[in-house]
Amino acid sequence: MKINKTNAARLLDKAKIAYELIPYEVDESDLSAVHVAASLGENINQVFKTLVLHGDKTGYFVCVIPGDQEVNLKLAAKVSGNKSCDMIPMKELLSVTGYIRGACSPIGMKKHFPTYIHETCLGFPYIYVSAGQRGLQIKIDPKELINEVRAEVCVLYTV
């Protein structure tokens, strides 16, 4: 099966970063990272989801966390230099990032936003993030991803 390169993949190629594009079966009724991990047969802790938030001081920013976790808004606000923050409304996702729900990649958004990735990513040789379209994931070394999106490694949820 031919896999069409996404904008995120082209940006990784341009930066000479090694990655793999991994297709999976999309279930429109379940766009969760948990479904993606099950479809890939991978550990849910290695399948990261990309969340876009808006802070009261800094505006938009991005959090990348393991797929079965929920971002702690107090921690996210603190690491991003805000007093408070909220997830952006779903209807704003496309206009802000250029991506749709279930296909939001931390790579190649319309503009660069401050990005924060949960520290557990460093415990794996590779993680998965959306490639920018439903049904396609990027398998990448987390250190390479951190460098490419200029992410800050931090704690974004509590266990």
Side-chain angles (χ1 to χ4, degrees):
M1 176 176 99
K2 172 139 174 48
I3 300 171
N4 290 326
K5 290 246 171 147
T6 62
N7 188 41
R10 284 189 285 279
L11 288 168
L12 292 173
D13 287 345
K14 187 176 173 188
K16 298 184 176 10
I17 294 173
Y19 67 93
E20 286 179 61
L21 286 175
I22 311 289
Y24 67 93
E25 196 65 40
V26 178
D27 177 354
E28 293 293 334
S29 67
D30 184 2
L31 298 174
S32 72
V34 174
H35 168 76
V36 173
S39 298
L40 297 173
E42 286 287 351
N43 177 348
I44 184 60
N45 296 319
Q46 283 179 266
V47 178
F48 281 62
K49 60 186 175 185
T50 303
L51 306 172
V52 183
L53 294 89
H54 189 270
D56 64 334
K57 294 186 183 331
T58 65
Y60 297 112
F61 65 98
V62 177
C63 291
V64 184
I65 64 172
D68 63 342
Q69 298 298 322
E70 295 295 322
V71 68
N72 179 312
L73 295 176
K74 283 189 173 122
L75 287 173
K78 186 175 180 183
V79 300
S80 63
N82 290 284
K83 276 206 181 309
S84 66
C85 66
D86 281 300
M87 297 283 294
I88 66 167
M90 202 56 61
K91 66 182 188 293
E92 290 179 21
L93 190 63
L94 181 60
S95 64
V96 170
T97 68
Y99 290 123
I100 60 171
R101 180 173 173 257
C104 189
S105 179
I107 306 160
M109 290 189 184
K110 280 184 172 181
K111 66 177 273 212
H112 180 269
F113 298 111
T115 302
Y116 305 90
I117 188 165
H118 195 268
E119 65 184 9
T120 56
C121 71
L122 295 174
F124 301 106
Y126 60 87
I127 61 170
Y128 293 87
V129 294
S130 175
Q133 74 182 41
R134 290 178 181 164
L136 199 58
Q137 291 281 300
I138 290 175
K139 180 179 178 181
I140 187 169
D141 177 328
K143 292 180 203 76
E144 295 278 19
L145 177 65
I146 290 162
N147 289 337
E148 176 62 14
V149 300
R150 302 190 301 279
E152 185 178 317
V153 178
C154 56
V155 175
L156 293 166
Y157 62 86
T158 50
V159 180

